[in-house]
Amino acid sequence: MRLVPNPPGKIISGEIRLGGEDIVKKSEADMRKIRGQKISMIFQDPMTSLNPVIPVGDQIAEVILLHEKLTAAQALKKAEGMLMKVGIQPERAKEYPHQFSGGMRQRVVIAIALACNPELLIADEPTTALDVTIQAQVMLLMKNLKNEFNTSMIMITHDLGIVAEICDKVAIMYAGNIVEYAEKRELFKNPKHPYTIGLFNSLPDIKKDAENLKPIKGLMPDPMDLPAGCPFHPRCDMAKPECSRSTPQNVAISGNHDVRCLLFNGR
C-alpha cells in the first residue's frame, strides 16, 4: 500500500509486484489511483480506522467518487448498497462511527475496502479488537465477500485457526523473513521449519491429553539487532553450531513447499 510513515520508515530495496508492475517505483499520484481500486486494506483496529466526524456512508462514498465517474448521489447510493452487503441497514449510512459497535465498524471498513472491487485485499489482523463471537461473524462475512467479488486476499494473522478456515497458501514469518511457505493442507500436516513446528506444539489440541503445552523458549529478538546466522537459532531445539554462523537460504522441499533452514540445505 506504500503507507509506511516517513519518518521513521522507508523502503530501501526490493520490489512489490502487482500485475507485473513494480509499485515501489510508482509516484504518490499513481499510488492514489491504485489504493482502493487495485489494492485495498482492512486495518487492525476498526475503532481508529474510521473518521469520527464523517458519516459512514460518506466515508464509503469517498473512495467510490475517487475511482468511479459517478455523481455524489450515485456514489452514496452505491455506498448504501455496500452497507447492505456487509449486513448493515442502508438508512444507517447517515450515522457516525461512534454509533456503531466494534463489529459493525469493522463491517463498515470492509465495505470501504471492497467498494471498488479491488484485485487484492490485505487484511491486517482484522478481528483482533473484536470478541470471539463477532470475530466468527466478520471472518465468515469476509470469506463470502472474497468469493462474491472474486478478490485475492492476503490475511495477516497470528491465529492459525483463522489460517485453517480462510487461507489456501501459508507463509510463516519470523523476524521479518518468510521461513516456510506451503499449501495450507501440506503445512498443517507436514510442518518442517523448527519455528513452524514450535507454533503447532504451543497450541492446545482437543485430541491429545496433555497437562502442559510446549511453548517456544526465549523471546523474539530485537529487529534492529538480530543474532548472527539464523535469527531463530538461539531459541531452536534443533540448532547446530553452524546455525549461529551461516544464514539459511530458501530450499524447495517439494513443488509448493519451501523452507529456510540449514537442516534442509543438503536437499
Side-chain angles (χ1 to χ4, degrees), residues 50-61 76 79-80 83 87-101 104-105 108 112:
L50 298 169
N51 191 319
V53 297
I54 298 177
V56 297
D58 290 347
Q59 296 193 54
I60 302 170
L76 190 56
E80 291 174 354
L83 283 176
I88 299 175
Q89 292 301 311
E91 53 265 25
R92 299 199 67 184
K94 296 181 177 65
E95 295 182 11
Y96 293 85
H98 74 271
Q99 295 173 278
F100 292 82
S101 66
M104 286 293 195
R105 288 187 216 183
V108 173
I112 293 171

Side-chain angles (χ1 to χ4, degrees), residues 18-254:
L18 178 72
E21 294 185 289
D22 182 9
I23 61 175
V24 171
K25 296 175 181 175
K26 298 283 187 184
S27 67
E28 180 57 28
D30 288 336
M31 285 305 301
R32 285 181 62 82
K33 295 175 184 176
I34 291 171
R35 294 187 197 111
Q37 186 174 43
K38 290 190 175 182
I39 314 174
S40 284
M41 188 157 184
I42 299 170
F43 292 95
Q44 186 168 0
D45 186 3
M47 313 301 174
T48 56
S49 297
L50 298 169
N51 191 319
V53 297
I54 298 177
V56 297
D58 290 347
Q59 296 193 54
I60 302 170
E62 181 182 15
V63 69
I64 297 169
L65 285 169
L66 186 64
H67 295 297
E68 299 182 13
K69 294 179 179 179
L70 298 176
T71 65
Q74 290 171 328
L76 190 56
K77 191 73 176 174
K78 184 172 180 180
E80 291 174 354
M82 288 303 303
L83 283 176
M84 288 188 67
K85 282 193 178 293
V86 297
I88 299 175
Q89 292 301 311
E91 53 265 25
R92 299 199 67 184
K94 296 181 177 65
E95 295 182 11
Y96 293 85
H98 74 271
Q99 295 173 278
F100 292 82
S101 66
M104 286 293 195
R105 288 187 216 183
Q106 194 64 297
R107 288 169 183 261
V108 173
V109 173
I110 293 169
I112 293 171
L114 292 174
C116 293
N117 197 7
E119 299 170 18
L120 175 63
L121 178 65
I122 302 172
D124 180 11
E125 298 273 11
T127 59
T128 297
L130 310 177
D131 66 58
V132 176
T133 51
I134 303 301
Q135 281 184 21
Q137 292 174 14
V138 170
M139 292 313 305
L140 180 61
L141 173 68
M142 288 179 62
K143 187 176 181 179
N144 292 338
L145 289 174
K146 175 175 75 79
N147 294 331
E148 179 182 340
F149 284 82
N150 195 29
T151 297
S152 297
M153 181 164 68
I154 295 175
M155 173 69 69
I156 303 166
T157 181
H158 65 271
D159 189 330
L160 289 171
I162 289 177
V163 172
E165 182 68 25
I166 297 289
C167 302
D168 300 311
K169 299 175 182 177
V170 187
I172 301 291
M173 296 190 72
Y174 184 82
N177 286 305
I178 293 175
V179 295
E180 188 162 5
Y181 176 82
E183 302 279 346
K184 174 180 68 180
R185 186 175 293 275
E186 166 70 11
L187 186 92
F188 274 65
K189 283 191 169 186
N190 192 26
K192 292 296 186 184
H193 195 281
Y195 177 62
T196 311
I197 294 169
L199 287 179
F200 283 111
N201 286 341
S202 64
L203 291 173
D205 188 338
I206 198 169
K207 296 178 181 178
K208 293 180 181 178
D209 185 16
E211 291 188 9
N212 297 302
L213 297 176
K214 187 180 177 183
I216 301 171
K217 66 183 181 183
L219 298 172
M220 278 283 294
D222 181 352
M224 302 299 291
D225 186 26
L226 294 175
C230 172
F232 186 62
H233 86 264
R235 308 176 67 190
C236 182
D237 291 333
M238 306 179 198
K240 300 177 179 180
E242 63 183 301
C243 295
S244 63
R245 300 189 296 267
S246 302
T247 302
Q249 301 300 310
N250 214 38
V251 178
I253 294 176
S254 63

